Structures are given as C-alpha cells and as structure tokens.
Amino acid sequence: AASVTINSSTGAVMLAKSFNQSLASLVSIPLRCMDHGQPSLAGHVMLHLHIRSVNYHQPRFPQATLHLNISESASLGQLLHTVHATDPDPGRHGNVSYSMISNSSVKDGFIMTANGSL
C-alpha cells in the first residue's frame, strides 16, 4: 500500500499510512504532474520523506529505590556508586544522562556526573 496519497486536482500530498523509522529513515516517492493539452505533457519530481524517530520510552532504573551505606569518614570526591538506567529507544532517543533533582534536601555535599557516578 502507498505511504502517501496525492490529490490529483490540488497536488496536496497526504499521509496514507504510518511510518516506522526503525524500518526506513528515508522513503523516496516519484511524483508526476500531467497537463490536459494535446498531446499531454508531464513533469516529474522525486519526493524524499525523511522519517524522524519518535521518543517512545522513558528511561528506567532497574529498581525503584537504591540504598547505599557510606562511612561518615568517606573522602571528599570518593566514588560512592554508579547508577544505571536504560532506554530502549533507538539512536539518540535511547541515550541517557544523569543528574540530581535540584530541590533535593540532601543534594548539598554530593556530585553526580552525567554518566551516573555519585
């Protein structure tokens, strides 16, 4: 089935079925325009549809709560833990980075890097 339709009078190109970017990121469709003269003449153009992926999934941590035990004498800058989350979206939509929520009452004294190290 065709992925787009074209109105033969107005030239309006409309979506006829949804695309899945993981199957194809570019779809090329040849279009033709014909006049009503005798003889009828035609013009052609190639329509390139660039399919952008959609961010379907939110990142997920493997557990809802993480418990760590640290010594009160832990050194400044000491690595405490590295958190991990996954996002099954393809490409950049599946890349994750980490930060602490700014209104956290215990944020002071801790540093979290973008790669999840605390």
Side-chain angles (χ1 to χ4, degrees), residues 94-109:
N95 296 338
V96 299
S97 61
Y98 304 88
S99 64
M100 287 190 282
I101 299 172
S102 61
N103 64 358
S104 174
S105 62
V106 295
K107 180 179 176 185
D108 293 339

Side-chain angles (χ1 to χ4, degrees), residues 11 15-16 22 28-29 44-46 73 80 88 92 95 97 99:
L15 188 64
S22 64
S28 298
I29 302 168
H44 299 86
V45 68
M46 184 62 73
S73 63
L80 301 175
R92 66 182 175 89
N95 296 338
S97 61
S99 64

Side-chain angles (χ1 to χ4, degrees), residues 3-5 10 14 17 26 33 39 45 52 54 67 76 81 84-85 90 92-93 95 100 105 109 114 117-118:
S3 51
V4 299
T5 60
T10 66
M14 295 164 283
K17 72 173 190 173
L26 173 66
C33 176
V45 68
R52 294 180 309 212
V54 175
H67 297 275
L76 292 179
H81 185 74
H84 296 281
R92 66 182 175 89
H93 294 305
N95 296 338
M100 287 190 282
S105 62
S117 296
L118 180 65

Side-chain angles (χ1 to χ4, degrees), residues 5-28:
T5 60
I6 187 166
N7 182 301
S8 62
S9 298
T10 66
V13 178
M14 295 164 283
L15 188 64
K17 72 173 190 173
S18 61
F19 291 99
N20 183 339
Q21 194 271 341
S22 64
L23 299 177
S25 60
L26 173 66
V27 175
S28 298

Side-chain angles (χ1 to χ4, degrees), residues 63-70 80-81 83 118:
Q63 66 281 352
T65 304
L66 180 63
H67 297 275
L68 299 176
N69 294 311
I70 62 168
L80 301 175
H81 185 74
V83 295
L118 180 65

Side-chain angles (χ1 to χ4, degrees), residues 45-77:
V45 68
M46 184 62 73
L47 173 65
H48 296 289
L49 297 174
H50 299 269
I51 313 303
R52 294 180 309 212
S53 66
V54 175
N55 193 6
Y56 289 106
H57 304 95
Q58 68 185 34
R60 299 253 183 220
F61 289 95
Q63 66 281 352
T65 304
L66 180 63
H67 297 275
L68 299 176
N69 294 311
I70 62 168
S71 170
E72 65 182 350
S73 63
S75 301
L76 292 179

